[in-house]
Amino acid sequence: MRVLVPFDGRNPNSRLSPTLSAAERRELADALREDVLDAIRNAGAEPLVVATTDVEASAPVSVDDRSLSTAVNARLEAETPTAVVMADLGLATPRVLSRFFDASGDLVVAPGRGGGTNALVVRHPDFRTDYHGASYRDHLRAAHELGASVREFDSHRLATDVDEPADLAELLLHGDGRATDWLRDAGFELATTDGRVGVERHH
Amino acid sequence: MRVLVPFDGRNPNSRLSPTLSAAERRELADALREDVLDAIRNAGAEPLVVATTDVEASAPVSVDDRSLSTAVNARLEAETPTAVVMADLGLATPRVLSRFFDASGDLVVAPGRGGGTNALVVRHPDFRTDYHGASYRDHLRAAHELGASVREFDSHRLATDVDEPADLAELLLHGDGRATDWLRDAGFELATTDGRVGVERHH
């Protein structure tokens, strides 16, 4: 199956700017994207990076500077089934992606923490995405309006997009790819507090 | 299967104190615990609340004011298989708990966001819990040291304990039990920002 991997190279991981410099955020974003591409290939599927600017990646890249939803929808219009997997799912493994791609339903949706849509399989030819706002609910509603069958896919790995400083702790806890190595090399380690584990940085 | 549901009635959900009063936190904690007890029963298992103080619940309650790990371990020593499910997993459903209880392994572990251990099935008679700090990793290590087989259970629903204000958004997004109703009645609704969805309260 064709898997679109949207990638915005202009200011990646901007919500990590309190923690990482612009150059570091770009390095981390590249490492995350390459981890995701590996996991998709090892799950037996074919990734296509849909990028806002030209980037060097280990998979074919299609440059499209329109909005995320417009760029994805143009490709859904051309071909289904098609999957969409976000480029910052640093805990995605071939195993969970295989299960995800194989799950039945006109629409298979993996929610992201905070209401986003981290991964989709679209088998209904008329389904269109709208990534603005709390897209998870909007995607469920759009599928119901089409009469499309929906499978909600429950996965912590796919729910974890690396977006905020607390997500770095998830990478250190559960990741084992380039992005996790990058974080360790950059001096990050787990910091235990009374509640959830966070990260601290040693230079 | 016997399922222990630890419940600390003394100062529940203390990390929600910026958002909720002490009385409200108690009400929410009671609603979450009852939702979890329902889900366990509807998954065909038998909950036992292990509480620090006497509480009124819809399942048998065993009062044990020792530490969480000590109280749980005393019961693991007496009987395996035994499961442990945290009382604040507001997104737990009978469906995901059935899959969880049926998963194979001497130890089945569902990580919580931030390195905790949100749910466990213990089939190895010598395994003991240690909930202090980043317990997920410690539990994996302890199982490996025993030579016990481990299944890591990947679920966003089980990874979501209601602990911090952002978790309330998950309840509003994906929950449908008493706790979600309580939040709505208390005036909470989703607030869309540029990144993840949060909550805001209208009185």
Side-chain angles (χ1 to χ4, degrees):
Chain A
M1 183 156 49
R2 167 68 72 197
V3 182
L4 309 177
V5 181
F7 183 77
D8 188 347
R10 288 171 302 199
N11 184 21
N13 294 122
S14 58
R15 302 182 73 201
L16 289 172
S17 52
T19 311
L20 296 172
S21 73
E24 288 174 329
R25 285 184 276 125
R26 163 53 79 102
E27 285 180 17
L28 178 60
D30 287 342
L32 285 164
R33 186 197 63 236
E34 290 302 312
D35 284 343
V36 168
L37 294 176
D38 272 352
I40 291 169
R41 277 186 294 257
N42 289 329
E46 296 156 53
L48 171 69
V49 177
V50 179
T52 50
T53 56
D54 199 23
V55 293
E56 225 171 285
S58 65
V61 175
S62 171
V63 177
D64 193 327
D65 65 359
R66 294 176 292 178
S67 80
L68 170 59
S69 304
T70 306
V72 165
N73 289 340
R75 287 159 182 86
L76 293 180
E77 206 164 329
E79 182 187 5
T80 45
T82 291
V84 189
V85 172
M86 292 299 142
D88 60 352
L89 304 189
L91 303 187
T93 58
R95 182 190 166 125
V96 66
L97 285 177
S98 292
R99 286 202 299 120
F100 180 71
F101 297 144
D102 289 347
S104 60
D106 293 333
L107 192 76
V108 186
V109 204
R113 185 170 163 84
T117 304
N118 280 3
L120 275 174
V121 176
V122 180
R123 295 194 177 91
H124 193 296
D126 298 329
F127 181 84
R128 298 294 175 263
T129 62
D130 178 359
Y131 282 100
H132 190 75
S135 65
Y136 184 70
R137 293 192 137 188
D138 295 339
H139 287 149
L140 293 187
R141 195 176 301 124
H144 290 308
E145 282 168 9
L146 281 174
S149 64
V150 175
R151 162 79 188 276
E152 302 185 35
F153 194 87
D154 177 34
S155 163
H156 176 58
R157 290 187 175 275
L158 297 188
T160 305
D161 46 315
V162 177
D163 192 27
E164 300 182 350
D167 304 322
L168 302 178
E170 299 302 312
L171 266 185
L172 291 176
L173 282 161
H174 303 290
D176 64 357
R178 291 174 189 81
T180 306
D181 289 346
W182 185 91
L183 269 186
R184 292 217 174 90
D185 290 346
F188 285 89
E189 52 189 58
L190 292 173
T192 306
T193 59
D194 59 335
R196 289 178 179 163
V197 167
V199 293
E200 58 189 16
R201 189 172 190 174
H202 303 273
H203 285 280
Chain B
M1 183 156 50
R2 168 69 70 200
V3 183
L4 309 177
V5 180
F7 183 76
D8 187 346
R10 288 172 300 200
N11 184 21
N13 295 120
S14 59
R15 303 183 71 202
L16 288 173
S17 53
T19 311
L20 296 172
S21 72
E24 288 174 329
R25 286 185 278 123
R26 163 52 81 102
E27 285 180 18
L28 178 61
D30 286 342
L32 285 164
R33 186 198 63 236
E34 289 302 313
D35 284 343
V36 167
L37 294 176
D38 271 352
I40 292 168
R41 277 186 295 255
N42 289 329
E46 296 156 52
L48 172 69
V49 178
V50 180
T52 50
T53 55
D54 199 23
V55 292
E56 224 171 285
S58 65
V61 175
S62 170
V63 176
D64 192 328
D65 64 359
R66 295 177 291 178
S67 80
L68 170 58
S69 304
T70 306
V72 165
N73 289 340
R75 286 158 182 88
L76 293 180
E77 205 163 328
E79 181 187 6
T80 47
T82 291
V84 189
V85 172
M86 293 299 142
D88 61 351
L89 304 189
L91 303 187
T93 58
R95 183 190 166 126
V96 67
L97 286 176
S98 292
R99 286 202 299 118
F100 180 71
F101 296 144
D102 289 346
S104 59
D106 293 333
L107 191 77
V108 186
V109 203
R113 186 171 163 84
T117 304
N118 280 2
L120 275 174
V121 176
V122 181
R123 296 195 177 90
H124 194 296
D126 298 329
F127 180 84
R128 298 293 175 264
T129 63
D130 178 359
Y131 282 100
H132 189 76
S135 65
Y136 183 70
R137 292 193 139 187
D138 295 338
H139 287 149
L140 293 188
R141 195 176 302 122
H144 290 308
E145 281 168 9
L146 280 174
S149 64
V150 175
R151 163 81 187 277
E152 303 184 35
F153 193 87
D154 177 33
S155 164
H156 176 56
R157 289 187 176 276
L158 298 188
T160 305
D161 46 314
V162 177
D163 193 26
E164 301 182 350
D167 304 322
L168 301 180
E170 298 303 314
L171 265 185
L172 291 176
L173 283 160
H174 303 291
D176 64 356
R178 291 175 189 81
T180 306
D181 289 346
W182 185 92
L183 268 186
R184 292 217 175 90
D185 290 346
F188 284 89
E189 52 188 61
L190 293 172
T192 306
T193 59
D194 58 336
R196 289 178 179 163
V197 168
V199 292
E200 58 188 17
R201 187 171 192 176
H202 302 274
H203 285 280

